[in-house]
Amino acid sequence: MSIAQIEQAFIDIAKARFGTHLRTVESLPADWDSETFKRILRLAPGLFVVFGGGAAMDQSTDIRSQWVLLAVTAHASGERARRHGDSREIGAYEIIETAVPLFHDRQVPGVGLIRFEAIENLFTAAIEEQGAAIYGARFSLPMTITAPPPGGTDPLDAFLTFNSTLDAAPADGRPEAEDVVVLPQ
């Protein structure tokens, strides 16, 4: 099972459990910028799946993949409601306390067993100023990174466009060349 398929499995399981209690369940990149943060605030309350990579195991293509489920709330009625919830919206604690037992010891068919590792309060002054609470639940899942089967469809065959930006560190910080190549199909 690919990283994308496992990510989708996390999303599908969470959507089935939380139903309409969350505005969204979707994936996020591991690195955030200010636009990502603004977007997740608009989608709160939500649960966001982040693939965090993984360390190689036994000098093979097996990894101990890391997954983080981010509970994000943005109650207008204050920080306590963001953590505890209120009569109108679910709180970050409720999201995390539902997600941890939902995923811990869950078997991913053909991959392995999801293991709960930790909960982290991702509080910062900037997050608080924006009126949000964010908590992360970290899980691990052993998995194998596999090559496409011989004679099968190569996943790279599906690309229609290749984009490239070349940058030899010019003084003005702008790329020296950019190109888009449309591949024949």
Side-chain angles (χ1 to χ4, degrees):
M1 190 177 264
S2 71
I3 295 168
Q5 290 170 319
I6 293 169
E7 180 181 79
Q8 190 60 51
F10 271 93
I11 291 168
D12 294 343
I13 292 164
K15 281 183 176 180
R17 175 63 179 95
F18 284 97
T20 60
H21 293 285
L22 298 177
R23 183 170 288 149
T24 192
V25 176
E26 66 178 52
S27 64
L28 286 177
D31 291 331
W32 297 5
D33 59 18
S34 61
E35 290 306 311
T36 305
F37 183 67
K38 288 177 190 174
R39 185 170 65 84
I40 66 172
L41 281 181
R42 287 190 304 271
L43 298 172
L47 185 68
F48 299 88
V49 178
V50 178
F51 171 63
M57 300 177 351
D58 304 322
Q59 298 179 349
S60 68
T61 61
D62 294 345
I63 65 169
R64 185 169 181 237
S65 65
Q66 297 292 303
W67 297 87
V68 177
L69 300 179
L70 295 171
V72 180
T73 58
H75 296 273
S77 53
E79 60 83 20
R80 187 174 197 284
R82 290 190 285 274
R83 290 181 291 114
H84 293 240
D86 58 22
S87 62
R88 296 178 60 205
E89 283 188 0
I90 192 168
Y93 291 167
E94 295 168 301
I95 296 170
I96 288 294
E97 290 170 346
T98 302
V100 167
L102 178 65
F103 286 98
H104 177 65
D105 278 343
R106 180 176 285 270
Q107 182 70 39
V108 176
V111 179
L113 202 60
I114 300 171
R115 296 290 187 174
F116 168 66
E117 292 189 347
I119 293 174
E120 297 176 39
N121 178 350
L122 301 174
F123 172 86
T124 66
I127 289 171
E128 177 63 28
E129 285 174 14
Q130 295 292 320
I134 303 178
Y135 287 81
R138 189 174 68 242
F139 297 85
S140 65
L141 174 65
M143 61 182 286
T144 300
I145 306 297
T146 58
T153 303
D154 186 335
L156 296 180
D157 286 347
F159 286 96
L160 300 176
T161 304
F162 170 76
N163 293 301
S164 178
T165 301
L166 307 174
D167 187 357
D172 65 1
R174 299 180 64 211
E176 294 173 353
E178 276 192 43
D179 201 359
V180 174
V181 177
V182 177
L183 302 173
Q185 297 298 309

